[in-house]
Amino acid sequence: GNSVTQMEGPVTLSEEAFLTINCTYTATGYPSLFWYVQYPGEGLQLLLKATKADDKGSNKGFEATYRKETTSFHLEKGSVQVSDSAVYFCALGGSARQLTFGSGTQLTVLP
Amino acid sequence: KAGVTQTPRYLIKTRGQQVTLSCSPISGHRSVSWYQQTPGQGLQFLFEYFSETQRNKGNFPGRFSGRQFSNSRSEMNVSTLELGDSALYLCASSLGTSGRETQYFGPGTRLLVL
């Protein structure tokens, strides 16, 4: 079956630091890959997505590239802000009509 | 376009009771999925509905059920509540044409079982 392995947290960075959150997946077929973000007390917000190999999703300074050869979809941001503090989830959507999520990574950015 | 809405936002119940949660999808979306989020188990898929039919179901006991109405609104029901059912229940909607498409989430209903 499908599975997503996500970098364990929590991650604490200083403002303007570089962020990488690793995500690898196992799937049959050709899934879509997503990053969602969850702020305290809220639901999940779509951050970015990629639907095929070598696609790069980007939004609000965040980027992730769909790497089929390494089955990875790592999230990166060049300069994080305090407002980026949240929990980040990597997810996979395939033929099963359900999202499979990673365990989530708590990010805290200090001023 | 309005997002996914869920009601109520918060619920407190006692063991043995039952609860019904409601979800209104984005206009034009015909698929509604439900997920349970807990600190221990993370995000787990409950079920997915499309055009009033359940197309997929996760590994949850029969106490968890759902339905979808002709206007695509969905409800989920949990009967004989247990302490372990305390969780954030998230609803997501999508067009429903493919499992690879984006799902958009509501704010969730936080259920506390005492």
Side-chain angles (χ1 to χ4, degrees):
Chain A
N2 297 337
S3 67
V4 175
T5 302
Q6 191 175 334
M7 186 171 95
E8 293 286 332
V11 174
T12 302
L13 297 173
S14 298
E15 205 166 25
E16 299 184 5
F18 184 84
L19 168 71
T20 299
I21 301 177
N22 290 337
C23 171
T24 57
Y25 68 91
T26 301
T28 54
Y30 303 94
S32 294
L33 299 173
F34 307 90
W35 278 100
Y36 285 89
V37 59
Q38 186 175 37
Y39 297 99
E42 299 185 10
L44 301 179
Q45 296 179 23
L46 176 69
L47 182 59
L48 53 83
K49 67 178 182 181
T51 58
K52 61 183 187 295
D54 300 325
D55 264 2
K56 178 186 281 188
S58 60
N59 186 27
K60 299 180 183 178
F62 291 90
E63 293 183 341
T65 301
Y66 188 167
R67 300 286 188 201
K68 193 167 175 64
E69 64 276 11
T70 55
T71 60
S72 65
F73 193 55
H74 305 320
L75 182 68
E76 297 182 335
K77 186 176 186 183
S79 176
V80 293
Q81 306 300 311
V82 172
S83 57
D84 293 328
S85 297
V87 181
Y88 292 81
F89 291 93
C90 183
L92 178 159
S95 59
R97 301 187 187 282
Q98 65 183 77
L99 290 175
T100 301
F101 287 91
S103 56
T105 301
Q106 171 77 56
L107 170 67
T108 300
V109 180
L110 302 176
Chain B
K1 195 181 264 190
V4 178
T5 59
Q6 293 186 245
T7 57
R9 291 293 309 276
Y10 304 94
L11 268 178
I12 300 176
K13 294 286 188 178
T14 56
R15 279 185 304 173
Q17 288 187 309
Q18 75 165 15
V19 67
T20 299
L21 312 182
S22 181
C23 172
S24 293
I26 292 171
S27 177
H29 285 189
R30 296 171 64 191
S31 171
V32 173
S33 298
W34 289 88
Y35 295 84
Q36 182 196 64
Q37 185 179 24
T38 59
Q41 299 299 316
L43 281 152
Q44 294 185 287
F45 170 76
L46 281 156
F47 26 65
E48 188 255 357
Y49 288 87
F50 179 84
S51 291
E52 302 178 65
T53 300
Q54 186 182 91
R55 292 195 299 192
N56 195 10
K57 188 179 192 306
N59 188 26
F60 279 82
R63 300 184 297 107
F64 291 81
S65 63
R67 59 179 176 168
Q68 187 181 33
F69 303 96
S70 59
N71 61 359
S72 294
R73 191 176 68 84
S74 177
E75 291 181 346
M76 68 163 282
N77 183 275
V78 188
S79 62
T80 320
L81 284 166
E82 300 177 359
L83 296 179
D85 297 333
S86 295
L88 180 66
Y89 290 89
L90 292 164
C91 165
S93 77
S94 67
L95 291 170
T97 55
S98 165
R100 299 174 68 250
E101 64 194 20
T102 303
Q103 294 187 22
Y104 297 91
F105 285 81
T109 294
R110 188 165 295 280
L111 172 64
L112 177 61
V113 182
L114 302 176

